[in-house]
Amino acid sequence: AMESELTELYDDLHCGWWCLSYDTATGRRASLRVNRTLAAMLGMHPEELLSRAGNSDVPLPQTQLEFFCAMLDDLCVAAQPRVVRYATLTPQIAGKMQDTVLVRRESLREFTP
């Protein structure tokens, strides 16, 4: 019930929202939630975005070099429990560049002994 209330709350925001959580015991994805605004920014319905994410087929709104640099940066701070980053992304919908957006990305990690 709480999860659906959160999703409804974030659906009304005028910013894109994506929440991905992992099972700490297995390291596998436990849940993924997106709001309508993020899906619309990528030219999709929320259900399509979730389906594509499940198949690792989400179009990245950045260049391959930017994505590679972000992954390297993540490796450098892998032991930090909380990391906040800001970036600019330019989504492409049907091959057409859209307006550039400012993105705040926050990673929260739980470490078990």
Side-chain angles (χ1 to χ4, degrees):
M2 178 68 159
E3 187 171 311
S4 64
E5 289 174 12
L6 278 175
T7 302
E8 287 178 25
L9 170 71
Y10 286 110
D11 265 342
D12 292 334
L13 292 177
H14 295 288
C15 61
W17 182 77
W18 166 295
C19 182
L20 175 63
S21 62
Y22 291 92
D23 182 318
T24 55
T26 65
R28 296 181 61 104
R29 184 173 47 214
S31 70
L32 173 62
R33 295 184 304 259
V34 300
N35 71 349
R36 288 187 293 254
T37 306
L38 177 64
M41 290 166 112
L42 296 172
M44 300 178 219
H45 292 284
E47 297 80 12
E48 180 184 2
L49 181 54
L50 289 171
S51 176
R52 285 179 173 243
N55 291 323
S56 300
D57 185 30
V58 176
L60 297 174
Q62 58 194 149
T63 67
Q64 290 178 341
L65 179 59
E66 289 170 326
F67 180 76
F68 178 71
C69 290
M71 294 299 103
L72 283 179
D73 192 41
D74 277 353
L75 289 173
C76 293
V77 294
Q80 299 295 320
R82 180 173 184 260
V83 178
V84 177
R85 290 209 177 69
Y86 293 89
T88 56
L89 300 178
T90 306
Q92 256 190 35
I93 300 174
K96 182 180 176 194
M97 301 297 279
Q98 303 299 307
D99 291 335
T100 300
V101 295
L102 178 65
V103 175
R104 179 181 187 266
R105 186 177 127 211
E106 182 174 0
S107 299
L108 302 174
R109 297 177 176 100
E110 287 183 29
F111 297 100
T112 54

